Structure formats: C-alpha cells, structure tokens
Amino acid sequence: MLLITKGYPPSSWLATYVTVSIFLVALDEYRKNFHFSELKEDFFELSKKEVAQQTLINKNAQLEILQRNVHEWNDWRQESTSEINLSGINLREIDLSGADFSDANLRGINLRGANLAKANLQYADLRDSYLSRANLHRANLAGANLSGANLSETNFSRTDLSEANLSRSHLSGADFSEANLCEVNFSRANLSEVNFSRANLSESNFLSADLSGVNAQGSDLSGANLIGADLSGANLQEANLNGANLYRTDLCGSSLLNTILSYANLTGANLSEADLTSTSVEGTIFGNNRGLKEEDKANLRARGATFRDMPDSDVSAFIER
C-alpha cells in the first residue's frame, strides 16, 4: 500500500491516526484530572474537619482559662494574639465583672443573669446572644453587634453603647438610665417599657421600633430617627428631641411636659391624647396629625411651628439609615 501511495499513508489514514491520538491524550488527561479532583475534595474535607477540631480545642482552652478567674483571663489576653471564640458557650449566672471580651466572637453565647459590670465588650460580636437579666452596669459595649439578641430586663445603666448595633433585638424592661447610646441602631427592636431616663440617645436610629411605655424623661434624643416608631404612652417629659424625625410616629397618650421638639419633624404623627401645651415647638413641622384640633394648630403656629405635608421622597434618606 505504501508503494501505491509512494511511501505516504493515505490522507484518510492520517486523519484517523491524528484523531485517535488526540482522543487518547484527552482520555489520559481526564483520568489524571478526575483523580486529582477526588484527591482535592478529600483534602478540603479533611481540612474542614481539622479546622473544626482545632476551633473546638481553642474554644475549650479559652473557656478553661476564663473559668479559673477573671484576672488570669485578662492577663492572658494581654499576652495572647489568639482570636477569642466563645460562640454558643453557656456562661449563665457567672461573675465576669471587669473581664476583657473586646473584639471577641460571642455569637449565640448564653450569659443570662451573668455579672458583666465594667466588662470590656468593645466591638464584640454578640449577635443572637442571650443576656436577659444580666448586669452590664458601666460596661464598654461601644461598636458591639447585638443584633437579634435577647436583652430583656438587662441592666445597661451608665453603659457605653455608642455606635452599637441592637437592631431587631429584644430589650423589653431593660434599664439604660444615664447610658451613652449615641448613634446606636435600634431599628425594629422591641423596647417596650425600657428605662431611658437621662440617657444620651442623640443621632440614634429607632426606625419602626416598639418604644411603647418607655421612660425617656430627661433623655437626649436630638437628631434621632424615630420614623414609624411606636411611642404610645411614653414618658418624654423634659426630653430633648431637637431636630428629631418623628414622621408617622405614634405618640398617642405620651407625656410631653416641657419636652423640646424644636425643628423636629412630626408630619403624620399620631398626637391623640398628647398634651403639647408646654412643649418647645420653634421650627417644628406638623401636618396630617391625628388628635390635633384647629385651636391646637393655631396655638402651635403662634409658638413658631409650621404645618405642611411631607412627601415620602423627603424621608427616604432617613429610612435607609
């Protein structure tokens, strides 16, 4: 045959040879890659198990140091560079006063009834944690994340919670008297019957929060976002709400004796059974309010208030805070 083709194989043979060669090379590569993929999956599965095991070892070791005493724990933290992970641990009713948990992962931790007075929890992750009836008097929780946490009847008196996240948390009956709550996110939180007396709540976000029956007497709520919040039956006597946004807020039956509402926005707010006779309303914006009679409006205008409707576009910036 090669004689007939002058020493060269027919073109059809050559094409077949090339095709088969390519197929065999591809098959060999596939086998290698498939085997490598299996090895890679086994390696990552093993790595996950090793990481989980090491995390558990580290968590148990940290817990052992903590349970000895707080002084030893704080000394160890000063020397150690390890990340603190006590997530999901049960430490209820334990005395941890003065303990250093700054930047720690405490997500889902159970600290019900624990004593954390003067503890350092700055920037700690306390999401979905349980701190009901705990004592956090004078603790440092600045920048901490307590979103979704159960904090009912907890003592936060004189505590620093500036710039903390308490959105969607449960705080009914908690005590925040004289606490620093500047720029805290309380959006959609349950704050019914909370004590905010003389607390600094300036620039805080209470979007759609339940504040029914709260005691905020003498508190600073200047510049706060209270859009859609429920403040029915609240004690706001002598509180400072200068420049606050109370768009569509429910103030039904609230006590406003000597309350500062200057330059606040109360458009659409429910003012049924709310007494505004001694409030400061210079530059305050009203409009579409339930509970206001014509003589009430005339009195408020004479004291420096204005009335207008507020379109939804004007509040979009506050809703996104």
Side-chain angles (χ1 to χ4, degrees), residues 56-132:
L56 181 60
I57 292 170
N58 292 341
K59 189 182 291 186
N60 289 336
Q62 291 174 6
L63 182 60
E64 184 181 346
I65 297 169
L66 179 62
Q67 288 178 328
R68 290 174 194 164
N69 62 70
V70 170
H71 294 297
E72 188 170 338
W73 168 265
N74 288 346
D75 289 342
W76 174 77
R77 285 224 59 188
Q78 288 291 323
E79 300 172 359
S80 175
T81 58
S82 301
E83 293 184 4
I84 305 304
N85 183 358
L86 294 170
S87 57
I89 295 292
N90 184 1
L91 292 170
R92 61 184 303 168
E93 298 181 359
I94 191 171
D95 185 2
L96 297 169
S97 54
D100 182 4
F101 292 113
S102 56
D103 297 294
N105 178 5
L106 304 174
R107 186 167 185 174
I109 195 170
N110 184 357
L111 287 161
R112 284 189 179 102
N115 181 11
L116 290 153
K118 298 182 180 179
N120 183 6
L121 291 144
Q122 189 173 23
Y123 300 114
D125 184 356
L126 285 151
R127 286 174 291 173
D128 305 314
S129 58
Y130 302 89
L131 284 147
S132 56

Coordinates of all heavy atoms in Angstrom, one line a residue, residues 56-132:
L56 N -12.6 23.8 68.2 CA -13.1 23.3 69.5 C -12.1 23.2 70.6 O -12.3 23.6 71.7 CB -13.7 21.9 69.2 CG -14.4 21.2 70.4 CD1 -15.5 22.0 70.9 CD2 -14.8 19.8 70.0
I57 N -10.8 22.8 70.2 CA -9.7 22.8 71.1 C -9.4 24.1 71.7 O -9.3 24.3 72.9 CB -8.5 22.1 70.5 CG1 -8.7 20.6 70.2 CG2 -7.3 22.3 71.4 CD1 -7.6 20.0 69.3
N58 N -9.3 25.1 70.8 CA -9.1 26.5 71.2 C -10.2 27.0 72.1 O -9.9 27.7 73.1 CB -8.9 27.4 69.9 CG -7.6 27.1 69.2 OD1 -6.7 26.4 69.7 ND2 -7.6 27.5 67.9
K59 N -11.4 26.8 71.7 CA -12.6 27.2 72.5 C -12.5 26.7 73.9 O -12.7 27.4 74.9 CB -13.9 26.9 71.8 CG -15.1 27.5 72.4 CD -16.4 27.1 71.6 CE -16.4 27.7 70.2 NZ -17.7 27.4 69.6
N60 N -12.3 25.4 74.0 CA -12.2 24.7 75.3 C -11.1 25.2 76.2 O -11.2 25.4 77.4 CB -12.1 23.2 75.1 CG -13.4 22.6 74.6 OD1 -14.5 23.1 74.8 ND2 -13.3 21.4 74.0
A61 N -9.9 25.5 75.5 CA -8.8 26.0 76.2 C -9.0 27.4 76.7 O -8.7 27.8 77.9 CB -7.6 26.0 75.3
Q62 N -9.7 28.3 75.9 CA -10.0 29.6 76.3 C -11.0 29.6 77.5 O -10.9 30.4 78.4 CB -10.6 30.4 75.1 CG -9.5 30.7 74.1 CD -10.1 31.4 72.8 OE1 -11.3 31.7 72.8 NE2 -9.3 31.5 71.8
L63 N -12.0 28.7 77.4 CA -13.0 28.6 78.4 C -12.4 28.1 79.7 O -12.8 28.6 80.8 CB -14.1 27.6 78.0 CG -15.3 27.3 78.9 CD1 -16.0 28.6 79.2 CD2 -16.2 26.3 78.4
E64 N -11.4 27.3 79.7 CA -10.7 26.8 80.9 C -10.0 27.9 81.6 O -10.1 28.1 82.8 CB -9.7 25.7 80.5 CG -9.0 25.1 81.7 CD -8.0 24.0 81.4 OE1 -8.0 23.6 80.2 OE2 -7.2 23.6 82.2
I65 N -9.4 28.8 80.8 CA -8.7 30.0 81.4 C -9.7 30.9 82.0 O -9.5 31.4 83.1 CB -7.8 30.7 80.3 CG1 -6.7 29.8 79.8 CG2 -7.2 32.0 80.9 CD1 -6.1 30.3 78.5
L66 N -10.8 31.2 81.3 CA -11.8 32.1 81.8 C -12.4 31.6 83.1 O -12.7 32.4 84.0 CB -12.9 32.3 80.7 CG -14.0 33.2 81.0 CD1 -13.5 34.6 81.3 CD2 -15.1 33.2 79.9
Q67 N -12.7 30.3 83.2 CA -13.3 29.8 84.4 C -12.4 29.7 85.6 O -12.9 29.5 86.7 CB -13.9 28.4 84.1 CG -15.1 28.4 83.1 CD -15.6 27.0 82.8 OE1 -14.8 26.1 82.7 NE2 -16.9 26.9 82.5
R68 N -11.1 29.9 85.4 CA -10.2 30.0 86.6 C -10.5 31.3 87.4 O -10.9 31.2 88.5 CB -8.8 29.9 86.2 CG -8.3 28.6 85.6 CD -6.9 28.7 85.0 NE -6.6 27.5 84.2 CZ -5.6 27.5 83.4 NH1 -4.8 28.5 83.3 NH2 -5.4 26.4 82.6
N69 N -10.3 32.4 86.8 CA -10.7 33.7 87.3 C -10.4 34.8 86.3 O -9.7 34.6 85.3 CB -9.9 34.0 88.6 CG -8.4 34.1 88.4 OD1 -7.9 35.1 87.8 ND2 -7.7 33.1 88.9
V70 N -11.1 35.9 86.5 CA -11.1 37.0 85.5 C -9.7 37.6 85.4 O -9.3 38.0 84.3 CB -12.2 38.1 85.9 CG1 -12.0 39.3 85.0 CG2 -13.6 37.5 85.7
H71 N -9.0 37.7 86.5 CA -7.7 38.4 86.5 C -6.7 37.6 85.6 O -5.9 38.1 84.8 CB -7.1 38.5 87.9 CG -7.9 39.4 88.8 ND1 -8.0 40.8 88.5 CD2 -8.6 39.2 89.9 CE1 -8.7 41.4 89.4 NE2 -9.1 40.4 90.3
E72 N -6.7 36.2 85.7 CA -5.9 35.4 84.9 C -6.3 35.5 83.4 O -5.4 35.5 82.5 CB -6.0 33.9 85.3 CG -5.0 33.0 84.7 CD -4.9 31.6 85.3 OE1 -5.3 31.5 86.5 OE2 -4.5 30.7 84.6
W73 N -7.6 35.6 83.2 CA -8.1 35.7 81.8 C -7.6 37.0 81.2 O -7.1 37.0 80.1 CB -9.6 35.7 81.8 CG -10.2 36.1 80.5 CD1 -10.7 37.4 80.2 CD2 -10.5 35.3 79.3 NE1 -11.2 37.4 78.9 CE2 -11.1 36.2 78.4 CE3 -10.2 34.0 79.0 CZ2 -11.4 35.7 77.1 CZ3 -10.6 33.5 77.7 CH2 -11.2 34.4 76.8
N74 N -7.7 38.1 81.9 CA -7.3 39.4 81.4 C -5.7 39.5 81.2 O -5.3 40.0 80.2 CB -7.7 40.5 82.4 CG -9.2 40.8 82.3 OD1 -9.9 40.3 81.4 ND2 -9.7 41.5 83.3
D75 N -5.0 38.8 82.1 CA -3.5 38.8 81.9 C -3.2 38.0 80.6 O -2.3 38.4 79.9 CB -2.9 38.1 83.1 CG -2.9 39.0 84.3 OD1 -3.1 40.2 84.2 OD2 -2.7 38.5 85.5
W76 N -3.9 36.9 80.4 CA -3.6 36.0 79.2 C -4.0 36.8 78.0 O -3.2 36.7 77.0 CB -4.5 34.7 79.3 CG -4.4 33.9 78.1 CD1 -3.3 33.1 77.7 CD2 -5.4 33.8 77.1 NE1 -3.6 32.5 76.5 CE2 -4.9 33.0 76.1 CE3 -6.6 34.4 76.9 CZ2 -5.6 32.6 74.9 CZ3 -7.4 34.1 75.7 CH2 -6.9 33.2 74.8
R77 N -5.0 37.6 78.0 CA -5.4 38.4 76.8 C -4.4 39.4 76.5 O -4.2 39.7 75.3 CB -6.8 39.0 77.1 CG -8.0 38.0 77.0 CD -9.1 38.6 76.2 NE -8.7 39.0 74.8 CZ -9.5 39.6 73.9 NH1 -10.7 40.1 74.3 NH2 -9.1 39.9 72.7
Q78 N -3.8 40.0 77.5 CA -2.7 41.0 77.3 C -1.5 40.4 76.5 O -0.9 41.1 75.7 CB -2.3 41.6 78.6 CG -3.3 42.5 79.3 CD -3.5 43.8 78.6 OE1 -2.5 44.3 78.0 NE2 -4.7 44.3 78.6
E79 N -1.3 39.1 76.8 CA -0.1 38.5 76.2 C -0.4 37.7 74.9 O 0.4 37.6 74.0 CB 0.5 37.5 77.2 CG 1.0 38.2 78.5 CD 1.4 37.2 79.5 OE1 1.3 35.9 79.2 OE2 1.9 37.6 80.6
S80 N -1.7 37.2 74.8 CA -2.0 36.4 73.6 C -2.5 37.2 72.4 O -3.1 38.3 72.5 CB -3.2 35.4 74.1 OG -3.6 34.7 73.0
T81 N -2.2 36.6 71.2 CA -2.7 37.2 70.0 C -3.8 36.4 69.4 O -4.3 36.6 68.3 CB -1.5 37.3 69.0 OG1 -1.0 36.0 68.7 CG2 -0.5 38.3 69.5
S82 N -4.3 35.4 70.1 CA -5.3 34.4 69.6 C -6.7 35.2 69.5 O -7.0 36.0 70.3 CB -5.5 33.2 70.6 OG -4.3 32.5 70.7
E83 N -7.4 34.8 68.5 CA -8.8 35.3 68.3 C -9.7 34.6 69.4 O -9.6 33.4 69.5 CB -9.3 35.1 66.9 CG -8.5 35.9 65.9 CD -9.1 35.7 64.5 OE1 -10.2 35.0 64.4 OE2 -8.6 36.2 63.5
I84 N -10.5 35.4 70.0 CA -11.4 34.9 71.1 C -12.6 34.4 70.4 O -13.4 35.1 69.8 CB -11.7 35.9 72.1 CG1 -10.4 36.5 72.7 CG2 -12.5 35.3 73.2 CD1 -9.4 35.5 73.3
N85 N -12.9 33.1 70.7 CA -14.1 32.5 70.1 C -14.8 31.7 71.2 O -14.3 30.6 71.6 CB -13.8 31.6 68.9 CG -15.1 31.0 68.3 OD1 -16.2 31.2 68.8 ND2 -14.9 30.2 67.2
L86 N -15.9 32.2 71.8 CA -16.7 31.6 72.8 C -18.1 31.5 72.3 O -19.0 31.5 73.2 CB -16.6 32.3 74.1 CG -15.2 32.3 74.8 CD1 -15.2 33.3 76.0 CD2 -14.8 30.9 75.3
S87 N -18.3 31.4 71.1 CA -19.6 31.4 70.5 C -20.4 30.2 71.0 O -19.9 29.1 71.0 CB -19.6 31.4 69.0 OG -18.8 30.3 68.5
G88 N -21.7 30.4 71.3 CA -22.5 29.3 71.7 C -22.3 28.7 73.1 O -23.0 27.7 73.5
I89 N -21.3 29.2 73.8 CA -21.0 28.7 75.2 C -22.0 29.1 76.2 O -22.6 30.2 76.1 CB -19.6 29.2 75.6 CG1 -18.5 28.7 74.7 CG2 -19.3 28.9 77.0 CD1 -18.2 27.2 74.8
N90 N -22.3 28.2 77.2 CA -23.2 28.5 78.3 C -22.4 29.1 79.5 O -21.7 28.3 80.1 CB -24.0 27.3 78.6 CG -25.0 27.5 79.7 OD1 -25.2 28.7 80.1 ND2 -25.8 26.5 80.1
L91 N -22.6 30.4 79.8 CA -22.0 31.0 80.9 C -23.0 31.7 81.8 O -22.7 32.8 82.3 CB -20.9 32.0 80.4 CG -19.7 31.4 79.7 CD1 -18.8 32.4 79.1 CD2 -18.8 30.6 80.7
R92 N -24.2 31.2 81.9 CA -25.2 31.9 82.6 C -24.9 32.0 84.1 O -24.3 31.1 84.7 CB -26.6 31.2 82.4 CG -26.6 29.8 82.9 CD -28.0 29.1 82.5 NE -29.1 29.9 83.1 CZ -30.4 29.7 82.7 NH1 -30.7 28.8 81.8 NH2 -31.3 30.4 83.3
E93 N -25.3 33.2 84.6 CA -25.2 33.5 86.0 C -23.7 33.4 86.6 O -23.5 33.2 87.8 CB -26.1 32.6 86.9 CG -27.6 32.8 86.5 CD -28.5 31.9 87.3 OE1 -28.0 31.1 88.2 OE2 -29.7 32.0 87.1
I94 N -22.8 33.6 85.7 CA -21.4 33.6 86.1 C -20.9 35.0 86.4 O -21.4 36.0 85.8 CB -20.5 33.0 85.0 CG1 -19.1 32.7 85.5 CG2 -20.5 33.8 83.7 CD1 -18.2 31.9 84.5
D95 N -19.9 35.2 87.3 CA -19.4 36.5 87.6 C -18.2 36.8 86.7 O -17.1 36.2 86.8 CB -18.9 36.6 89.0 CG -18.5 38.0 89.4 OD1 -18.5 38.9 88.6 OD2 -18.0 38.2 90.6
L96 N -18.4 37.7 85.7 CA -17.3 38.1 84.7 C -17.1 39.6 84.8 O -16.7 40.2 83.8 CB -17.7 37.7 83.3 CG -17.9 36.1 83.1 CD1 -18.5 35.9 81.7 CD2 -16.5 35.5 83.2
S97 N -17.3 40.2 86.0 CA -17.2 41.6 86.1 C -15.7 42.0 85.8 O -14.8 41.4 86.3 CB -17.6 42.1 87.5 OG -16.9 41.3 88.5
G98 N -15.6 43.0 84.9 CA -14.2 43.5 84.6 C -13.5 42.7 83.5 O -12.4 43.0 83.2
A99 N -14.1 41.7 83.0 CA -13.5 40.8 82.0 C -13.3 41.5 80.7 O -14.1 42.4 80.3 CB -14.3 39.5 81.8
D100 N -12.2 41.1 80.0 CA -11.9 41.7 78.7 C -12.4 40.8 77.5 O -11.8 39.8 77.3 CB -10.4 42.0 78.5 CG -10.0 42.7 77.2 OD1 -10.9 43.0 76.4 OD2 -8.8 42.8 77.0
F101 N -13.5 41.2 76.9 CA -14.0 40.5 75.7 C -14.0 41.3 74.5 O -14.8 41.1 73.5 CB -15.4 40.0 76.0 CG -15.6 38.9 77.1 CD1 -16.2 39.2 78.3 CD2 -15.0 37.7 76.9 CE1 -16.3 38.3 79.3 CE2 -15.1 36.7 77.9 CZ -15.8 37.0 79.1
S102 N -13.1 42.3 74.4 CA -13.1 43.2 73.3 C -12.8 42.4 72.0 O -11.9 41.5 72.0 CB -12.1 44.3 73.5 OG -10.8 43.7 73.7
D103 N -13.5 42.7 70.9 CA -13.3 42.0 69.6 C -13.6 40.5 69.6 O -13.2 39.8 68.7 CB -11.9 42.3 69.1 CG -11.6 43.8 68.8 OD1 -12.3 44.3 67.9 OD2 -10.8 44.3 69.5
A104 N -14.2 40.0 70.7 CA -14.4 38.6 70.8 C -15.6 38.1 70.0 O -16.6 38.9 69.8 CB -14.6 38.2 72.2
N105 N -15.6 36.9 69.5 CA -16.7 36.2 68.9 C -17.6 35.5 70.0 O -17.2 34.5 70.5 CB -16.3 35.2 67.9 CG -17.4 34.5 67.2 OD1 -18.6 34.8 67.4 ND2 -17.1 33.5 66.4
L106 N -18.7 36.2 70.4 CA -19.5 35.7 71.4 C -20.9 35.4 70.8 O -21.9 35.4 71.6 CB -19.6 36.7 72.6 CG -18.3 37.1 73.2 CD1 -18.5 38.2 74.2 CD2 -17.6 35.9 73.8
R107 N -21.0 35.1 69.6 CA -22.3 35.0 68.9 C -23.0 33.7 69.5 O -22.5 32.7 69.6 CB -22.1 34.7 67.4 CG -23.4 34.7 66.6 CD -23.2 34.8 65.2 NE -24.4 34.9 64.5 CZ -24.6 35.1 63.2 NH1 -23.5 35.3 62.4 NH2 -25.7 35.2 62.6
G108 N -24.3 34.0 69.9 CA -25.1 32.9 70.4 C -24.8 32.5 71.8 O -25.3 31.5 72.3
I109 N -23.9 33.2 72.5 CA -23.5 32.9 73.9 C -24.7 33.0 74.8 O -25.5 33.9 74.6 CB -22.3 33.7 74.3 CG1 -21.6 33.1 75.5 CG2 -22.7 35.2 74.5 CD1 -20.3 33.8 75.9
N110 N -24.7 32.2 75.9 CA -25.7 32.3 76.9 C -25.1 33.0 78.1 O -24.3 32.3 78.9 CB -26.3 30.9 77.2 CG -27.4 31.0 78.2 OD1 -27.8 32.1 78.7 ND2 -28.0 29.8 78.5
L111 N -25.5 34.2 78.4 CA -25.0 35.0 79.6 C -26.2 35.5 80.4 O -26.1 36.5 81.0 CB -24.1 36.1 79.1 CG -22.7 35.8 78.5 CD1 -22.2 36.9 77.7 CD2 -21.8 35.4 79.7
R112 N -27.2 34.7 80.4 CA -28.4 35.1 81.2 C -28.0 35.2 82.7 O -27.4 34.3 83.3 CB -29.5 34.0 81.1 CG -30.3 34.0 79.8 CD -31.5 33.0 79.9 NE -32.3 33.0 78.7 CZ -32.2 32.1 77.8 NH1 -31.4 31.1 77.9 NH2 -33.0 32.1 76.7
G113 N -28.4 36.4 83.2 CA -28.1 36.6 84.7 C -26.7 36.7 85.0 O -26.3 36.8 86.2
A114 N -25.8 36.8 84.1 CA -24.3 37.0 84.4 C -24.0 38.4 84.8 O -24.7 39.3 84.5 CB -23.5 36.6 83.1
N115 N -22.9 38.5 85.6 CA -22.5 39.8 86.1 C -21.3 40.2 85.2 O -20.2 39.7 85.2 CB -22.0 39.7 87.5 CG -21.5 41.1 88.1 OD1 -21.7 42.1 87.4 ND2 -20.9 41.1 89.2
L116 N -21.6 41.2 84.3 CA -20.6 41.8 83.4 C -20.3 43.2 83.7 O -19.9 44.0 82.8 CB -21.0 41.6 82.0 CG -21.0 40.1 81.5 CD1 -22.1 39.9 80.4 CD2 -19.7 39.7 81.0
A117 N -20.5 43.6 84.9 CA -20.3 45.0 85.3 C -18.8 45.4 85.0 O -17.9 44.7 85.3 CB -20.6 45.2 86.8
K118 N -18.7 46.6 84.3 CA -17.4 47.2 84.0 C -16.6 46.2 83.0 O -15.4 46.4 82.9 CB -16.6 47.5 85.2 CG -17.2 48.5 86.1 CD -16.3 48.8 87.3 CE -17.0 49.9 88.2 NZ -16.2 50.2 89.4
A119 N -17.2 45.3 82.4 CA -16.5 44.4 81.4 C -16.3 45.2 80.1 O -17.0 46.1 79.8 CB -17.4 43.2 81.1
N120 N -15.2 44.8 79.4 CA -14.9 45.4 78.1 C -15.4 44.5 77.0 O -14.8 43.5 76.7 CB -13.4 45.6 78.0 CG -13.0 46.3 76.7 OD1 -13.9 46.8 75.9 ND2 -11.7 46.4 76.4
L121 N -16.5 44.9 76.3 CA -17.1 44.2 75.2 C -17.0 45.0 73.9 O -17.8 44.9 73.0 CB -18.5 43.8 75.5 CG -18.6 42.7 76.6 CD1 -19.8 43.0 77.5 CD2 -18.7 41.3 76.1
Q122 N -16.1 45.9 73.9 CA -16.0 46.8 72.7 C -15.8 46.0 71.4 O -14.9 45.2 71.3 CB -14.8 47.8 72.9 CG -14.8 48.9 71.8 CD -13.7 50.0 72.2 OE1 -12.8 49.7 72.9 NE2 -13.9 51.2 71.7
Y123 N -16.6 46.3 70.4 CA -16.6 45.7 69.1 C -16.8 44.1 69.2 O -16.5 43.4 68.2 CB -15.3 46.0 68.4 CG -15.1 47.4 68.1 CD1 -14.0 48.1 68.8 CD2 -15.9 48.2 67.3 CE1 -13.8 49.5 68.5 CE2 -15.7 49.5 67.1 CZ -14.7 50.2 67.7 OH -14.5 51.5 67.5
A124 N -17.4 43.6 70.3 CA -17.6 42.2 70.4 C -18.8 41.8 69.5 O -19.7 42.6 69.3 CB -17.9 41.8 71.8
D125 N -18.8 40.6 69.0 CA -19.9 40.0 68.2 C -20.8 39.3 69.1 O -20.5 38.2 69.6 CB -19.3 39.1 67.1 CG -20.4 38.6 66.2 OD1 -21.6 38.9 66.4 OD2 -20.1 37.9 65.2
L126 N -21.9 39.9 69.5 CA -22.9 39.3 70.4 C -24.3 39.0 69.7 O -25.3 39.0 70.3 CB -23.1 40.2 71.6 CG -22.0 40.2 72.6 CD1 -21.9 41.5 73.3 CD2 -22.2 39.0 73.6
R127 N -24.2 38.8 68.4 CA -25.4 38.6 67.6 C -26.1 37.3 68.1 O -25.5 36.3 68.4 CB -25.1 38.4 66.1 CG -24.8 39.7 65.4 CD -24.4 39.4 64.0 NE -23.1 38.8 63.9 CZ -22.5 38.3 62.8 NH1 -23.2 38.4 61.7 NH2 -21.3 37.7 62.8
D128 N -27.5 37.4 68.3 CA -28.3 36.3 68.7 C -27.9 35.7 70.0 O -28.1 34.5 70.3 CB -28.2 35.2 67.6 CG -28.6 35.7 66.2 OD1 -29.6 36.4 66.1 OD2 -27.9 35.3 65.2
S129 N -27.3 36.5 70.9 CA -26.9 36.0 72.2 C -28.0 36.2 73.2 O -29.1 36.8 72.9 CB -25.7 36.8 72.7 OG -26.0 38.2 72.7
Y130 N -27.8 35.6 74.4 CA -28.8 35.6 75.4 C -28.2 36.3 76.7 O -27.4 35.8 77.4 CB -29.3 34.2 75.8 CG -29.8 33.4 74.6 CD1 -29.0 32.7 73.8 CD2 -31.2 33.5 74.3 CE1 -29.5 32.0 72.7 CE2 -31.7 32.8 73.2 CZ -30.8 32.1 72.4 OH -31.3 31.4 71.3
L131 N -28.7 37.5 76.9 CA -28.2 38.3 78.0 C -29.3 38.9 78.9 O -29.1 39.8 79.6 CB -27.4 39.5 77.5 CG -26.0 39.2 76.9 CD1 -25.6 40.1 75.8 CD2 -25.0 39.4 78.1
S132 N -30.4 38.2 78.9 CA -31.6 38.7 79.7 C -31.2 38.7 81.2 O -30.6 37.7 81.7 CB -32.8 37.8 79.4 OG -32.5 36.5 79.7

